[in-house]
Amino acid sequence: MTLPTYPPTRCIEPSLSWQARERLLLAPYAMFSIHSEGRAVQEESHPYRGPFQRDRDRVLHSAAFRRLSGKMQVFTGDMGDYHRTRLTHTNEVASLARTVGRTLRLNEDLIEAMALLHDIGHPPFGHCGEDVLDACVKDHGGFSHNAFALELVSRIEQRHTSYPGLNLTHEVLEGQQFRSDKNSGTVPMLEIQVVDACDSIAYDAHDLDDALKLGLLQWNQLQGLGLVQRVMRFSSMDQGNTAHRRQILVHSLIDLQMGDFIQHAILQLADATELDSKSVQDVGIQLQMSPELESDKRELEAFLFEQVYRHPRLIEVRSRAATRLNQLFRLLKAYPQRLPERFKRMVNESGIEHTVAIYLAGMTDRFCDEQYVAMVELGRESAQDWS
Ligand code: MG
């Protein structure tokens, strides 16, 4: 069955088709849309949007994507409104990755689709929420945000009556599959490598920015970090007020790492100009920064882990969130009739544990808190036996 484009679109003659545009702009080693393995349910091609553009739009218009605005990245909403949410982080990753993609002449549409998708499966309360749900269902397949992203776009999201999910292309799903199993031993497409690298560049820089703004870190703690020393050599961070210095630091950290990654990638790809996307994977090209910057980056990440992610203020947030998610999980497992109708219908096929986990995983931080109050605190008298 081939689904028609709906609503029917008037046939137009674009001045430059997406096929011609890619032929003109992309390097041989990019993933060309015409080489896509297509979708699980075949669809007519669109008159002016390529398949990866359509995937990007499908992710962008999904309910799960909109909910990213209510999910914490590292810091919760009650800590202020300066810091990143999961949505703003996603947009930063997409922006950086498109810049790299354009410079290396890779497929920007594919990069953007995968960047917008990459964190869509995060449950409320960040990695803490993921750890709690994983522990709750450890005997039933476990939980990971990367695998849940695939389940969301393949089964849970609804955009068409003829199939579940978003019916994304094989390549976008393959990219997300790589994220959920990085130890598979396979080398992914260059486009997903770029998204992965830019995810890391973005969160290291913005977590540092947010932690400084929130007072979790002090400037003098950063002096010994190799990456910070590198940018201080070229940036006038001793001038201006604290906010200005922070902005310069973040801008410079991103600029330094992006420039290094791109320069190093150009060197890595210098002998691959005759190879196509699949051949580049087969010969095992893995894009990365120069060894010196990789080393400094690992130092920054170890610093962030110790000084920010394990900060007492975040441990307190995580502890409260863990208790709430745990109690909600136990309550809904004991009383599945409290699940929304759609999720009740999934219990037979998916099992109660997995169904409760994915229902909770779809919640925003705020909705999860509201459900905790409504179901657990206000419902405590009527549900003594589950707690
Ligand atoms: Mg991310």
Side-chain angles (χ1 to χ4, degrees):
M1 176 183 65
T2 300
L3 294 173
T5 302
Y6 184 83
T9 313
R10 194 164 52 86
C11 187
I12 60 169
E13 282 293 333
S15 55
L16 187 63
S17 70
W18 51 265
Q19 296 95 329
R21 189 173 185 281
E22 289 190 0
R23 277 198 303 275
L24 199 63
L25 295 175
L26 302 192
Y29 46 68
M31 177 66 216
F32 285 74
S33 300
I34 52 166
H35 297 150
S36 168
E37 290 185 30
R39 307 175 189 279
V41 179
Q42 200 180 340
E43 299 180 32
E44 286 180 1
S45 69
H46 193 277
Y48 52 88
R49 286 185 304 154
F52 301 138
Q53 275 181 285
R54 297 174 80 183
D55 284 1
R56 176 203 61 196
D57 297 345
R58 289 176 190 196
V59 174
L60 183 69
H61 292 283
S62 68
F65 184 81
R66 290 194 295 281
R67 285 196 210 102
L68 293 176
S69 67
K71 298 194 181 204
M72 61 181 269
Q73 175 71 14
V74 174
F75 310 104
T76 53
D78 54 10
M79 297 172 84
D81 55 12
Y82 173 85
H83 56 266
R84 277 73 174 175
T85 65
R86 192 65 63 179
L87 179 65
T88 59
H89 160 70
T90 296
N91 287 333
E92 290 186 24
V93 174
S95 172
L96 297 183
R98 281 186 51 193
T99 297
V100 176
R102 188 172 299 185
T103 311
L104 300 181
R105 296 170 58 212
L106 297 172
N107 195 318
E108 283 180 60
D109 294 330
L110 176 57
I111 281 176
E112 192 173 11
M114 292 193 293
L116 296 185
L117 176 64
H118 90 282
D119 267 354
I120 208 170
H122 262 290
F125 308 118
H127 288 283
C128 160
E130 179 168 20
D131 292 343
V132 170
L133 292 181
D134 188 39
C136 287
V137 294
K138 68 177 185 301
D139 296 328
H140 305 273
F143 176 88
S144 91
H145 76 272
N146 284 317
F148 181 52
L150 280 170
E151 188 172 0
L152 270 172
V153 298
S154 304
R155 189 166 85 105
I156 298 173
E157 282 287 330
Q158 284 288 338
R159 69 172 294 277
H160 204 286
T161 52
S162 303
Y163 53 76
L166 303 181
N167 199 31
L168 301 178
T169 57
H170 172 84
E171 289 70 27
V172 170
L173 296 175
E174 184 184 306
Q176 187 60 33
Q177 181 65 46
F178 163 75
R179 290 184 61 86
S180 81
D181 185 15
K182 285 193 177 172
N183 298 319
S184 65
T186 58
V187 174
M189 282 173 291
L190 294 174
E191 281 83 356
I192 188 65
Q193 294 187 37
V194 167
V195 172
D196 226 32
C198 291
D199 182 26
S200 177
I201 291 172
Y203 64 63
D204 283 350
H206 67 49
D207 289 351
L208 197 62
D209 179 21
D210 292 349
L212 282 166
K213 169 72 174 175
L214 289 168
L216 272 57
L217 284 179
Q218 305 305 318
W219 277 93
N220 57 13
Q221 292 177 267
L222 312 183
Q223 307 294 328
L225 294 169
L227 273 183
V228 174
Q229 288 173 353
R230 283 177 193 268
V231 300
M232 286 179 81
R233 270 181 235 143
F234 303 102
S235 308
S236 51
M237 270 190 291
D238 46 353
Q239 297 168 15
N241 58 29
T242 307
H244 186 59
R245 286 163 66 199
R246 201 177 60 245
Q247 283 166 358
I248 294 174
L249 173 67
V250 174
H251 165 84
S252 306
L253 278 176
I254 291 175
D255 203 32
L256 172 72
Q257 294 175 85
M258 288 281 284
D260 185 88
F261 181 84
I262 289 168
Q263 289 299 325
H264 200 249
I266 289 170
L267 291 176
Q268 289 182 281
L269 291 167
D271 294 330
T273 49
E274 302 300 316
L275 301 180
D276 64 12
S277 175
K278 182 75 173 64
S279 305
V280 164
Q281 286 180 256
D282 290 343
V283 298
I285 293 180
Q286 300 193 57
L287 304 180
Q288 55 196 355
M289 290 182 199
S290 62
E292 309 82 60
L293 242 69
E294 277 290 348
S295 169
D296 282 355
K297 186 167 168 52
R298 278 196 293 276
E299 179 194 43
L300 172 62
E301 289 178 343
F303 172 82
L304 287 169
F305 182 78
E306 285 299 327
Q307 303 299 326
V308 178
Y309 307 143
R310 295 170 75 175
H311 192 282
R313 276 178 71 188
L314 285 188
I315 287 174
E316 182 192 327
V317 167
R318 279 203 289 270
S319 167
R320 192 172 64 237
T323 302
R324 292 183 163 206
L325 265 178
N326 250 318
Q327 293 197 338
L328 272 173
F329 180 87
R330 287 158 55 202
L331 177 115
L332 288 167
K333 186 182 165 189
Y335 297 92
Q337 66 272 24
R338 295 189 181 203
L339 286 167
E341 285 304 319
R342 185 157 173 241
F343 287 88
K344 277 186 208 167
R345 290 196 293 274
M346 291 183 189
V347 172
N348 273 350
E349 186 188 338
S350 304
I352 183 63
E353 288 85 3
H354 185 72
T355 304
V356 172
I358 62 173
Y359 173 55
L360 293 174
M363 293 180 178
T364 60
D365 302 348
R366 179 188 56 77
F367 186 71
C368 188
D369 278 340
E370 286 174 2
Q371 290 302 299
Y372 177 82
V373 171
M375 288 195 198
V376 180
E377 291 188 347
L378 300 180
R380 195 176 291 279
E381 287 177 16
S382 61
Q384 290 289 341
D385 53 336
W386 61 266
S387 58

